[in-house]
Amino acid sequence: MPIGAQPPGRHGTVDEPYSALNLRLVLAAFGFVVCTVLSIWLFHEGWTLPGWLLAAWAVVAVIDIVVVQLRRRARHRAEGDGDHSLFE
């Protein structure tokens, strides 16, 4: 899967982007923090299976953070310096 400013074949424009990358980054970071804290707490309480499930979701959140950052960097290279709000 190529990682560019947006996936090929999508119909997003500068005015209407395909994905709100900044919002997606914030949500992925929030999911990582919540899943990590709850996973540690569940391991401490002895609930190993739910702890491992939340640890796996934390790993998925980290992967999403990396992908979003790569797409944000590609957008920055394609568009140059520009302010993007949380929803762009």
Side-chain angles (χ1 to χ4, degrees):
M1 177 175 117
I3 298 179
Q6 68 182 22
R10 303 294 187 207
H11 299 293
T13 64
V14 173
D15 294 329
E16 295 179 22
Y18 170 70
S19 176
L21 294 178
N22 295 337
L23 178 63
R24 192 169 146 194
L25 182 65
V26 169
L27 292 175
F30 176 76
F32 169 72
V33 170
V34 169
C35 287
T36 301
V37 169
L38 287 177
S39 176
I40 292 169
W41 179 72
L42 287 171
F43 280 127
H44 179 71
E45 293 295 317
W47 292 52
T48 57
L49 182 62
W52 282 116
L53 290 174
L54 281 173
W57 280 345
V59 170
V60 169
V62 168
I63 293 169
D64 192 35
I65 289 170
V66 169
V67 168
V68 168
Q69 275 299 109
L70 290 173
R71 288 185 58 199
R72 287 179 74 223
R73 287 179 63 198
R75 177 180 67 187
H76 178 71
R77 282 192 304 271
E79 296 177 5
D81 288 333
D83 278 340
H84 292 282
S85 72
L86 185 62
F87 301 104
E88 295 182 279

